[in-house]
Every structure is written in C-alpha cells, then in structure tokens.
Amino acid sequence: MELKVTLKDPKKSDYFYEESIKTLRTNIQFSSKQVKVVLLTSCYPNEGKSDIAFSLSLEMGKAGKRVLLVDADIRKSNFIKRYSVNQTIHGLSQYLSGQVERQWITYQTNFPNVDMIFAGPLAPNPSELLGDPAFGELLEEKRKEYDYIFIDTPPIGNMIDAAIVAEKSDGAVLVIESEAVSYSVAQKSLAQLERSGCKILGAVLNKVDMKKDKYYSSYYGRYGGYYKHK
C-alpha cells in the first residue's frame, strides 16, 4: 500500500532564493557520489534549516533524483503545521518506539520524486530513539531506494541529536543565520559534527542582509567552504 500526503508550501516565489537553492543542490551533487545521506542542522532554533531542507529536497526532485526527506526533529517539529498537513500521519518517533512498522511511515508527497518521513509525536527520549539501531537500519534500507536522503535535525548547539544522526550520515550542512551566530559558536558546532566522523559539506549563510554581504562573506569564509543563501 502506498501512503500519500499533500503538502502546501507557504513560501512565495523568490528568484534569488530559488537560485541559491539550485546552487546548494549542485554543490551537493558534485561533493561525491558516495554522499547520499545528508543531514541539515543549525546552531540555534529558527535559523531556517527546515525550510532549506524542504526546498533542497524539492529542487533535487525537480532535477530527476529520487529524494527522501526525513524529519528527525522529534523534539519540536513544525512540518505538519507549516505545510498544512490535514490527515493522520505516522512518524519516525512511532516507528523507533515500536508503535508502528517501518512500511507505515514513508509518504509520497505531491511534489515530483519527493517522499517524506515525518517526525511523529513528541517523544520524551529523542536522543535515545535516534541512537537506536532501528534508525540506522531504516536509513540503510532507504539508501537502496533513493538517490538522496536529507535529514532535518534539531539544532546542534542545544542538543546532541544532530551528532547522533551525523554518525549515520555521509555529509552535513550547517545552516547559519547571518548576524545571529558568533564565529566561536559556529566553530563549536562544526567541531561537534566532525567528532561524529561525518564529512562537513559546507554551510548555508541564511537570512543575509545583502548590503553587508561583502563583510559577512569574508567573516564566515573562515569556516572553509560555504554556500550563501538569502
């Protein structure tokens, strides 16, 4: 049985936003053919990582790649509300806690080539659930079905969940809100990801004030490779 869900994207069309997402997609495609499972995280909440994960998934789907978007933020997910899902959904937390079987959590969306696993209900032990072997087994199974798996995780500056997911991922993208995150905090977040053994693909500098773009390009350029996103 094929599960289906309809998502309504609330974002208005924005040429520069869309071009930035295309650039991010291209950079990920050229990073390595071994990079299939990519996590996206941020230092703090509300830096825009979930929007970028969603937009990136749609853009990769438009390019003809089979994509699975996994919402692994089982502490505070906003996908159901933000994308106006009006049906009962079984999610990742229910699978990892043994409430539903694996085949009941993957949904075909109304966007070409994009499927999704939702976070599910809030769980009291998110890090323990994500560290369970069942999550790794799920990802290994899905590797065979999809070209790319993008995983939206909680901010790594506040909790350990992203580092746990990073151990099971091929690469990581750090979303950084311009003027909201200090250099030292971003470096600490990158170091946390690196300790997990996950390859750092780069960072998305989000919510950029274009008038100050030249300054921030230089400032955040010290992280190494990064992708700017307005």
Side-chain angles (χ1 to χ4, degrees):
M1 179 179 176
E2 196 170 64
L3 304 176
K4 296 184 179 182
V5 66
T6 298
L7 305 173
K8 298 179 182 178
D9 189 354
K11 291 191 302 299
K12 296 180 180 178
S13 180
D14 183 315
Y15 173 80
F16 295 105
Y17 179 96
E18 292 165 3
E19 287 301 305
S20 297
I21 293 297
K22 288 178 182 177
T23 299
L24 177 58
R25 180 206 71 198
T26 301
N27 279 313
I28 289 175
Q29 287 181 290
F30 278 98
S31 60
S32 170
K33 64 180 180 180
Q34 278 76 42
V35 173
K36 294 190 66 173
V37 180
V38 178
L39 78 86
L40 291 94
T41 190
S42 57
C43 300
Y44 300 124
N46 304 315
E47 292 190 71
K49 64 174 177 58
S50 296
D51 284 344
I52 290 172
F54 183 77
S55 297
L56 175 61
S57 297
L58 268 53
E59 188 58 42
M60 196 67 84
K62 290 178 185 176
K65 303 297 183 182
R66 285 211 68 203
V67 178
L68 177 65
L69 174 58
V70 180
D71 181 5
D73 191 349
I74 53 181
R75 293 177 185 269
K76 190 182 178 183
S77 173
N78 66 356
F79 272 96
I80 296 286
K81 181 178 179 180
R82 180 167 179 76
Y83 298 102
S84 303
V85 177
N86 297 313
Q87 65 191 76
T88 300
I89 294 291
H90 291 125
L92 186 62
S93 63
Q94 290 160 302
Y95 162 65
L96 294 177
S97 59
Q99 299 177 53
V100 296
E101 297 296 323
R102 192 180 302 176
Q103 66 266 28
W104 300 111
I105 62 170
T106 302
Y107 291 81
Q108 178 185 338
T109 75
N110 51 307
F111 294 98
N113 300 315
V114 179
D115 293 349
M116 184 165 183
I117 294 177
F118 293 87
L122 174 68
N125 55 338
S127 57
E128 287 84 356
L129 290 179
L130 293 172
D132 192 281
F135 186 47
E137 293 166 6
L138 174 66
L139 293 178
E140 287 306 307
E141 177 188 272
K142 297 303 181 182
R143 278 178 182 272
K144 303 171 186 176
E145 301 176 28
Y146 296 91
D147 297 306
Y148 288 97
I149 300 172
F150 296 119
I151 309 176
D152 180 41
T153 68
I156 196 167
N158 292 25
M159 49 209 72
I160 198 67
D161 300 22
I164 293 173
V165 175
E167 295 176 355
K168 303 172 175 65
S169 303
D170 305 321
V173 174
L174 181 65
V175 176
I176 301 169
E177 181 180 349
S178 179
E179 300 188 71
V181 179
S182 69
Y183 175 71
S184 60
V185 169
Q187 285 289 80
K188 183 179 179 181
S189 297
L190 287 171
Q192 182 71 27
L193 288 169
E194 288 173 335
R195 279 195 291 272
S196 70
C198 186
K199 179 181 180 181
I200 307 298
L201 301 180
V204 174
L205 186 58
N206 200 25
K207 303 181 183 179
V208 176
D209 181 344
M210 300 307 291
K211 294 179 182 178
K212 299 179 180 179
D213 182 56
K214 184 176 180 181
Y215 169 76
Y216 282 98
S217 294
S218 172
Y219 181 70
Y220 284 102
R222 288 183 286 170
Y223 297 136
Y226 74 98
Y227 314 124
K228 291 180 289 181
H229 168 66
K230 184 178 179 181

